[in-house]
Amino acid sequence: MSDSIYSAALVGLGAIAQGYGSPDDTAPYCHAGGILKSPRFDLAAAAEPFPAAREGFSQKWGAAFPDVSLHDELAKMLAARPYDVVAVCVRGPFHQEIMRQVFAAKPRLIFLEKPPTPSLEDADELLQLSREFGVPVTVSYSRHWSPRVLEIERLVREGLIGQVQSVVAYCGQLVLSFASHTTELLHQFSTATAPGDPVSVSATGALSEAAQSKVPENFAARGFEVEPNLHAMQVRYSNGVLATQIGAKSDHSMFYADVFGTKGRVRVGIYLEPQAFDLEGNPLELPPMPEDFGPFCEAYNQFARFFDGGQMSDCTNENFAVVNEIGFGAIESIHQNGAPVSLPNARRDRKIYANG
């Protein structure tokens, strides 16, 4: 195993970059915390135009990252030195122009916050730029990297519950900004025991006038539409799996799934202890779960293993594109009163103001 220390840079110093956690947390839920907990990464720089945000970062994280360079402009940060990973942590509607600048700087990988793009046309452009510059893009469907979720995925792949037949997950609210975490969880387990592609999606949801007012005038003038809330969604896969997302809170809150197989079922999510049962409902013994330093730590550790010569990190390029495709398919279906939408989507120009 390599002992190289890789460099990371942050674009934006908002909540997901550094606000959801502190240096003292065991498992901080933010990029700065994940980098701090990873033994393979160091935070080299950050770009943030607002002085108060830079000052707040320095007060909270300065002692943990004494050598970090803080810049008031992205261009200055990108010109200062090369980086192994650049994490783009700004709001979704601003991603595309920033991503073009970051690609041109040619980091080894870009870690992009969800929702990745305002439209499927923009997603197509990101994949094209990734190929042109040779820079993979990993999207931060962050709950994917919960160590217990990854461990249960490994056990399911090894046959714990036989062949996966259906997945039911629980999460609602905004389709791309919020429910996409559980859409990714559906996809993660729908393809755990057999490769497959989503072939259609049907969804119900709601478009409110109050939400429309949240689209700034300058974005509305460019054709951006309101992001709908998700009530329910079904995704059919080419491998025969039927995946369902319930847009409501449940007994175990949100961001978890029940995975049903030919030999049993598992319940898995970031906020609950995993459970497994055989077909008669008897509990299956699970191995001890891995130590948890938070999903961002695990994500950055995956990047290090990739740089060391290992496999590509999860949620990268075509993998994130599939999850994004399902989300936009759900939006199309909501606009068509729940009618099934074939994937990939024929309409790729619909722009959604999804703020993440």
PDB file of all heavy atoms in Angstrom, residues 152 160-161 252 256-259 265-269 272-277 283-284 286:
ATOM      1  N   ILE A 152     -22.679  -3.694   4.122  1.00  0.00           N
ATOM      2  CA  ILE A 152     -23.866  -4.476   3.775  1.00  0.00           C
ATOM      3  C   ILE A 152     -23.914  -4.722   2.266  1.00  0.00           C
ATOM      4  O   ILE A 152     -24.280  -5.823   1.811  1.00  0.00           O
ATOM      5  CB  ILE A 152     -25.141  -3.780   4.267  1.00  0.00           C
ATOM      6  CG1 ILE A 152     -25.170  -3.757   5.800  1.00  0.00           C
ATOM      7  CG2 ILE A 152     -26.386  -4.473   3.722  1.00  0.00           C
ATOM      8  CD1 ILE A 152     -25.169  -5.143   6.445  1.00  0.00           C
ATOM      9  N   LEU A 160     -25.492 -12.862   0.651  1.00  0.00           N
ATOM     10  CA  LEU A 160     -26.141 -12.929   1.955  1.00  0.00           C
ATOM     11  C   LEU A 160     -27.632 -13.210   1.840  1.00  0.00           C
ATOM     12  O   LEU A 160     -28.186 -14.003   2.619  1.00  0.00           O
ATOM     13  CB  LEU A 160     -25.911 -11.616   2.722  1.00  0.00           C
ATOM     14  CG  LEU A 160     -26.620 -11.476   4.070  1.00  0.00           C
ATOM     15  CD1 LEU A 160     -26.029 -12.445   5.084  1.00  0.00           C
ATOM     16  CD2 LEU A 160     -26.525 -10.036   4.576  1.00  0.00           C
ATOM     17  N   ILE A 161     -28.317 -12.572   0.897  1.00  0.00           N
ATOM     18  CA  ILE A 161     -29.765 -12.749   0.749  1.00  0.00           C
ATOM     19  C   ILE A 161     -30.124 -13.312  -0.629  1.00  0.00           C
ATOM     20  O   ILE A 161     -31.262 -13.186  -1.078  1.00  0.00           O
ATOM     21  CB  ILE A 161     -30.524 -11.436   1.013  1.00  0.00           C
ATOM     22  CG1 ILE A 161     -30.060 -10.337   0.057  1.00  0.00           C
ATOM     23  CG2 ILE A 161     -30.366 -11.000   2.463  1.00  0.00           C
ATOM     24  CD1 ILE A 161     -30.925  -9.071   0.103  1.00  0.00           C
ATOM     25  N   HIS A 252     -37.954   4.576  10.786  1.00  0.00           N
ATOM     26  CA  HIS A 252     -36.511   4.742  10.980  1.00  0.00           C
ATOM     27  C   HIS A 252     -36.004   6.005  10.279  1.00  0.00           C
ATOM     28  O   HIS A 252     -34.876   6.046   9.802  1.00  0.00           O
ATOM     29  CB  HIS A 252     -35.778   3.504  10.482  1.00  0.00           C
ATOM     30  CG  HIS A 252     -36.230   2.243  11.148  1.00  0.00           C
ATOM     31  ND1 HIS A 252     -35.755   1.846  12.379  1.00  0.00           N
ATOM     32  CD2 HIS A 252     -37.148   1.314  10.783  1.00  0.00           C
ATOM     33  CE1 HIS A 252     -36.339   0.715  12.729  1.00  0.00           C
ATOM     34  NE2 HIS A 252     -37.190   0.367  11.777  1.00  0.00           N
ATOM     35  N   TYR A 256     -32.897   5.157   4.113  1.00  0.00           N
ATOM     36  CA  TYR A 256     -32.619   3.749   4.316  1.00  0.00           C
ATOM     37  C   TYR A 256     -33.448   2.938   3.338  1.00  0.00           C
ATOM     38  O   TYR A 256     -34.378   3.446   2.698  1.00  0.00           O
ATOM     39  CB  TYR A 256     -32.858   3.306   5.758  1.00  0.00           C
ATOM     40  CG  TYR A 256     -34.289   2.984   6.113  1.00  0.00           C
ATOM     41  CD1 TYR A 256     -34.768   1.676   6.028  1.00  0.00           C
ATOM     42  CD2 TYR A 256     -35.156   3.977   6.562  1.00  0.00           C
ATOM     43  CE1 TYR A 256     -36.072   1.369   6.376  1.00  0.00           C
ATOM     44  CE2 TYR A 256     -36.450   3.679   6.918  1.00  0.00           C
ATOM     45  CZ  TYR A 256     -36.913   2.371   6.817  1.00  0.00           C
ATOM     46  OH  TYR A 256     -38.205   2.072   7.158  1.00  0.00           O
ATOM     47  N   ALA A 257     -33.095   1.656   3.195  1.00  0.00           N
ATOM     48  CA  ALA A 257     -33.775   0.798   2.232  1.00  0.00           C
ATOM     49  C   ALA A 257     -33.950  -0.596   2.795  1.00  0.00           C
ATOM     50  O   ALA A 257     -33.130  -1.074   3.588  1.00  0.00           O
ATOM     51  CB  ALA A 257     -32.979   0.728   0.923  1.00  0.00           C
ATOM     52  N   ASP A 258     -35.032  -1.250   2.371  1.00  0.00           N
ATOM     53  CA  ASP A 258     -35.227  -2.678   2.563  1.00  0.00           C
ATOM     54  C   ASP A 258     -34.909  -3.353   1.238  1.00  0.00           C
ATOM     55  O   ASP A 258     -35.486  -2.997   0.196  1.00  0.00           O
ATOM     56  CB  ASP A 258     -36.667  -2.981   2.974  1.00  0.00           C
ATOM     57  CG  ASP A 258     -36.978  -2.528   4.392  1.00  0.00           C
ATOM     58  OD1 ASP A 258     -36.162  -2.809   5.281  1.00  0.00           O
ATOM     59  OD2 ASP A 258     -38.026  -1.895   4.589  1.00  0.00           O
ATOM     60  N   VAL A 259     -33.988  -4.315   1.275  1.00  0.00           N
ATOM     61  CA  VAL A 259     -33.534  -5.007   0.073  1.00  0.00           C
ATOM     62  C   VAL A 259     -33.999  -6.454   0.171  1.00  0.00           C
ATOM     63  O   VAL A 259     -33.637  -7.163   1.121  1.00  0.00           O
ATOM     64  CB  VAL A 259     -31.999  -4.936  -0.062  1.00  0.00           C
ATOM     65  CG1 VAL A 259     -31.552  -5.567  -1.379  1.00  0.00           C
ATOM     66  CG2 VAL A 259     -31.522  -3.488   0.036  1.00  0.00           C
ATOM     67  N   ARG A 265     -33.742 -10.859   3.350  1.00  0.00           N
ATOM     68  CA  ARG A 265     -33.781  -9.412   3.156  1.00  0.00           C
ATOM     69  C   ARG A 265     -32.846  -8.722   4.138  1.00  0.00           C
ATOM     70  O   ARG A 265     -32.493  -9.280   5.188  1.00  0.00           O
ATOM     71  CB  ARG A 265     -35.200  -8.874   3.336  1.00  0.00           C
ATOM     72  CG  ARG A 265     -35.776  -9.077   4.732  1.00  0.00           C
ATOM     73  CD  ARG A 265     -37.220  -8.598   4.797  1.00  0.00           C
ATOM     74  NE  ARG A 265     -37.854  -8.913   6.077  1.00  0.00           N
ATOM     75  CZ  ARG A 265     -37.857  -8.129   7.146  1.00  0.00           C
ATOM     76  NH1 ARG A 265     -37.221  -6.958   7.086  1.00  0.00           N
ATOM     77  NH2 ARG A 265     -38.459  -8.488   8.266  1.00  0.00           N
ATOM     78  N   VAL A 266     -32.460  -7.492   3.792  1.00  0.00           N
ATOM     79  CA  VAL A 266     -31.663  -6.656   4.686  1.00  0.00           C
ATOM     80  C   VAL A 266     -32.299  -5.288   4.777  1.00  0.00           C
ATOM     81  O   VAL A 266     -33.013  -4.843   3.871  1.00  0.00           O
ATOM     82  CB  VAL A 266     -30.190  -6.508   4.224  1.00  0.00           C
ATOM     83  CG1 VAL A 266     -29.468  -7.841   4.251  1.00  0.00           C
ATOM     84  CG2 VAL A 266     -30.109  -5.865   2.852  1.00  0.00           C
ATOM     85  N   ARG A 267     -32.051  -4.625   5.883  1.00  0.00           N
ATOM     86  CA  ARG A 267     -32.430  -3.227   6.071  1.00  0.00           C
ATOM     87  C   ARG A 267     -31.149  -2.451   6.295  1.00  0.00           C
ATOM     88  O   ARG A 267     -30.337  -2.796   7.163  1.00  0.00           O
ATOM     89  CB  ARG A 267     -33.374  -3.088   7.262  1.00  0.00           C
ATOM     90  CG  ARG A 267     -33.741  -1.652   7.611  1.00  0.00           C
ATOM     91  CD  ARG A 267     -34.952  -1.617   8.517  1.00  0.00           C
ATOM     92  NE  ARG A 267     -36.164  -1.931   7.774  1.00  0.00           N
ATOM     93  CZ  ARG A 267     -37.368  -2.068   8.339  1.00  0.00           C
ATOM     94  NH1 ARG A 267     -37.498  -1.944   9.661  1.00  0.00           N
ATOM     95  NH2 ARG A 267     -38.427  -2.329   7.603  1.00  0.00           N
ATOM     96  N   VAL A 268     -30.940  -1.400   5.491  1.00  0.00           N
ATOM     97  CA  VAL A 268     -29.653  -0.725   5.491  1.00  0.00           C
ATOM     98  C   VAL A 268     -29.842   0.771   5.304  1.00  0.00           C
ATOM     99  O   VAL A 268     -30.716   1.221   4.557  1.00  0.00           O
ATOM    100  CB  VAL A 268     -28.737  -1.301   4.375  1.00  0.00           C
ATOM    101  CG1 VAL A 268     -29.368  -1.128   2.995  1.00  0.00           C
ATOM    102  CG2 VAL A 268     -27.355  -0.675   4.417  1.00  0.00           C
ATOM    103  N   GLY A 269     -29.034   1.565   6.001  1.00  0.00           N
ATOM    104  CA  GLY A 269     -29.063   3.013   5.861  1.00  0.00           C
ATOM    105  C   GLY A 269     -28.024   3.651   6.756  1.00  0.00           C
ATOM    106  O   GLY A 269     -27.462   3.004   7.651  1.00  0.00           O
ATOM    107  N   LEU A 272     -29.164   3.939  10.812  1.00  0.00           N
ATOM    108  CA  LEU A 272     -29.685   2.833  11.603  1.00  0.00           C
ATOM    109  C   LEU A 272     -28.732   1.655  11.565  1.00  0.00           C
ATOM    110  O   LEU A 272     -27.897   1.537  10.660  1.00  0.00           O
ATOM    111  CB  LEU A 272     -31.080   2.423  11.123  1.00  0.00           C
ATOM    112  CG  LEU A 272     -31.305   2.067   9.648  1.00  0.00           C
ATOM    113  CD1 LEU A 272     -30.840   0.674   9.304  1.00  0.00           C
ATOM    114  CD2 LEU A 272     -32.792   2.198   9.326  1.00  0.00           C
ATOM    115  N   GLU A 273     -28.837   0.813  12.573  1.00  0.00           N
ATOM    116  CA  GLU A 273     -28.034  -0.398  12.602  1.00  0.00           C
ATOM    117  C   GLU A 273     -28.588  -1.381  11.568  1.00  0.00           C
ATOM    118  O   GLU A 273     -29.796  -1.624  11.525  1.00  0.00           O
ATOM    119  CB  GLU A 273     -28.070  -1.041  13.988  1.00  0.00           C
ATOM    120  CG  GLU A 273     -27.287  -0.281  15.042  1.00  0.00           C
ATOM    121  CD  GLU A 273     -25.801  -0.225  14.739  1.00  0.00           C
ATOM    122  OE1 GLU A 273     -25.270  -1.232  14.211  1.00  0.00           O
ATOM    123  OE2 GLU A 273     -25.186   0.809  15.009  1.00  0.00           O
ATOM    124  N   PRO A 274     -27.747  -1.929  10.714  1.00  0.00           N
ATOM    125  CA  PRO A 274     -28.251  -2.849   9.686  1.00  0.00           C
ATOM    126  C   PRO A 274     -28.821  -4.116  10.300  1.00  0.00           C
ATOM    127  O   PRO A 274     -28.393  -4.577  11.361  1.00  0.00           O
ATOM    128  CB  PRO A 274     -27.012  -3.135   8.835  1.00  0.00           C
ATOM    129  CG  PRO A 274     -25.850  -2.834   9.721  1.00  0.00           C
ATOM    130  CD  PRO A 274     -26.291  -1.746  10.634  1.00  0.00           C
ATOM    131  N   GLN A 275     -29.812  -4.671   9.606  1.00  0.00           N
ATOM    132  CA  GLN A 275     -30.452  -5.904  10.021  1.00  0.00           C
ATOM    133  C   GLN A 275     -30.589  -6.825   8.818  1.00  0.00           C
ATOM    134  O   GLN A 275     -30.711  -6.357   7.680  1.00  0.00           O
ATOM    135  CB  GLN A 275     -31.850  -5.631  10.597  1.00  0.00           C
ATOM    136  CG  GLN A 275     -31.877  -4.744  11.818  1.00  0.00           C
ATOM    137  CD  GLN A 275     -33.290  -4.364  12.191  1.00  0.00           C
ATOM    138  OE1 GLN A 275     -33.947  -3.602  11.505  1.00  0.00           O
ATOM    139  NE2 GLN A 275     -33.774  -4.926  13.287  1.00  0.00           N
ATOM    140  N   ALA A 276     -30.594  -8.132   9.064  1.00  0.00           N
ATOM    141  CA  ALA A 276     -30.770  -9.109   7.994  1.00  0.00           C
ATOM    142  C   ALA A 276     -31.642 -10.244   8.505  1.00  0.00           C
ATOM    143  O   ALA A 276     -31.561 -10.630   9.681  1.00  0.00           O
ATOM    144  CB  ALA A 276     -29.429  -9.648   7.516  1.00  0.00           C
ATOM    145  N   PHE A 277     -32.480 -10.793   7.615  1.00  0.00           N
ATOM    146  CA  PHE A 277     -33.413 -11.857   7.977  1.00  0.00           C
ATOM    147  C   PHE A 277     -33.476 -12.885   6.860  1.00  0.00           C
ATOM    148  O   PHE A 277     -33.301 -12.546   5.679  1.00  0.00           O
ATOM    149  CB  PHE A 277     -34.821 -11.279   8.206  1.00  0.00           C
ATOM    150  CG  PHE A 277     -34.876 -10.167   9.206  1.00  0.00           C
ATOM    151  CD1 PHE A 277     -34.710  -8.852   8.801  1.00  0.00           C
ATOM    152  CD2 PHE A 277     -35.079 -10.430  10.552  1.00  0.00           C
ATOM    153  CE1 PHE A 277     -34.760  -7.808   9.718  1.00  0.00           C
ATOM    154  CE2 PHE A 277     -35.126  -9.402  11.480  1.00  0.00           C
ATOM    155  CZ  PHE A 277     -34.959  -8.089  11.064  1.00  0.00           C
ATOM    156  N   PRO A 283     -33.618 -13.688  12.275  1.00  0.00           N
ATOM    157  CA  PRO A 283     -32.459 -12.815  12.104  1.00  0.00           C
ATOM    158  C   PRO A 283     -31.231 -13.582  11.613  1.00  0.00           C
ATOM    159  O   PRO A 283     -30.975 -14.722  12.038  1.00  0.00           O
ATOM    160  CB  PRO A 283     -32.226 -12.255  13.511  1.00  0.00           C
ATOM    161  CG  PRO A 283     -33.530 -12.421  14.213  1.00  0.00           C
ATOM    162  CD  PRO A 283     -34.140 -13.668  13.655  1.00  0.00           C
ATOM    163  N   LEU A 284     -30.487 -12.959  10.710  1.00  0.00           N
ATOM    164  CA  LEU A 284     -29.213 -13.493  10.248  1.00  0.00           C
ATOM    165  C   LEU A 284     -28.096 -12.769  10.990  1.00  0.00           C
ATOM    166  O   LEU A 284     -28.141 -11.551  11.168  1.00  0.00           O
ATOM    167  CB  LEU A 284     -29.051 -13.292   8.743  1.00  0.00           C
ATOM    168  CG  LEU A 284     -30.062 -14.000   7.835  1.00  0.00           C
ATOM    169  CD1 LEU A 284     -29.851 -13.578   6.389  1.00  0.00           C
ATOM    170  CD2 LEU A 284     -29.939 -15.507   7.977  1.00  0.00           C
ATOM    171  N   LEU A 286     -24.797 -10.909  11.496  1.00  0.00           N
ATOM    172  CA  LEU A 286     -23.939 -10.063  10.676  1.00  0.00           C
ATOM    173  C   LEU A 286     -22.591  -9.892  11.363  1.00  0.00           C
ATOM    174  O   LEU A 286     -22.508  -9.884  12.597  1.00  0.00           O
ATOM    175  CB  LEU A 286     -24.581  -8.690  10.463  1.00  0.00           C
ATOM    176  CG  LEU A 286     -25.888  -8.663   9.660  1.00  0.00           C
ATOM    177  CD1 LEU A 286     -26.486  -7.261   9.683  1.00  0.00           C
ATOM    178  CD2 LEU A 286     -25.647  -9.122   8.233  1.00  0.00           C
TER     179      LEU A 286
END
